[in-house]
Amino acid sequence: MELQKPVFLIGFMASGKTTLGHAVAAALPGITFVDLDEAVEAEEGCTVAQIFAERGEEGFRALESAMLRKTAMPGALIACGGGTPCRAENMDFMLSAGTVVRLDASSGTIVRRLLEADPDKRPLVKACMGSPELLKQKVEQMMSERSRHYGRAPYTFDADRLDDEQQVADAVERFHKLYLQ
């Protein structure tokens, strides 16, 4: 399969962008998966958390924006960071360069996934990770703030069910039929 334009996966942290992206690329030859956070880490030689600590969120977002443009090529399936589309110029770029699909997961699903994740990989919510109640409040606040940016995506994909192999396989099949044929 050859994608003529890049496909961008956007959505809140822990919505399943990386999980779905890896699975789609593994199932469909010719698709190159790029996790934007991992690409920034590889380029910079340090973690996203270290970049946040040393350069702040704005410093990270500048690196992320540059990497977005560098990796956007035909055949690429790009899992964007949760904040990537919140810079208007990034969303404008993605909409003009390829297909933008928003992965939607409920706040309950997001909180559950975050509580199972490494807190050091989630610098924006790390301070709340010890308290499910505080984490839920923070997630809902951030989701609300970001909804207008995420809402610009022309396509939406339900990502609440990506928690076991069968759910991921079913999601890959649905995603392929909806966006890659």
Side-chain angles (χ1 to χ4, degrees):
M1 152 160 284
E2 186 73 30
L3 296 175
Q4 300 303 311
K5 293 182 174 183
V7 176
F8 302 95
L9 302 178
I10 69 165
F12 199 74
M13 68 180 85
S15 63
K17 301 176 299 286
T18 298
T19 298
L20 182 63
H22 275 299
V24 167
L28 301 171
I31 294 178
T32 302
F33 175 66
V34 176
D35 180 288
L36 208 52
D37 286 346
E38 291 174 7
V40 169
E41 288 178 340
E43 179 103 349
E44 294 300 308
C46 59
T47 67
V48 169
Q50 289 169 318
I51 296 167
F52 264 77
E54 293 169 11
R55 304 182 201 182
E57 183 175 0
E58 191 54 40
F60 170 74
R61 296 294 174 206
L63 295 170
E64 178 185 59
S65 295
M67 187 58 66
L68 176 67
R69 283 149 183 81
K70 184 175 182 178
T71 58
M73 58 190 71
L77 176 62
I78 302 169
C80 299
T84 306
C86 298
R87 286 186 128 182
E89 66 271 14
N90 286 344
M91 196 60 172
D92 292 343
F93 170 77
M94 289 186 284
L95 289 167
S96 68
T99 302
V100 181
V101 181
R102 180 181 74 239
L103 270 59
D104 275 341
S106 69
S107 62
T109 297
I110 298 289
V111 168
R112 180 178 48 77
R113 289 177 183 164
L114 286 172
L115 288 170
E116 295 168 359
D118 178 354
D120 289 329
K121 294 195 175 196
R122 305 296 184 175
L124 290 177
V125 295
K126 182 179 179 179
C128 303
M129 296 286 266
S131 167
E133 299 82 24
L134 282 176
L135 182 59
K136 185 173 182 356
Q137 288 174 359
K138 179 70 172 175
V139 164
E140 289 177 349
Q141 172 206 346
M142 290 177 70
M143 288 176 86
S144 176
E145 290 167 357
R146 292 178 173 187
S147 65
R148 67 185 173 91
H149 302 289
Y150 293 162
R152 293 183 62 198
Y155 304 105
T156 304
F157 188 80
D158 180 359
D160 264 325
R161 297 176 42 103
L162 293 172
D163 297 314
D164 62 42
E165 282 186 38
Q166 187 58 54
Q167 288 179 358
V168 172
D170 292 345
V172 167
E173 187 176 322
R174 281 191 341 263
F175 191 87
H176 178 240
K177 286 179 184 174
L178 290 169
Y179 307 112
L180 303 176
Q181 291 186 342

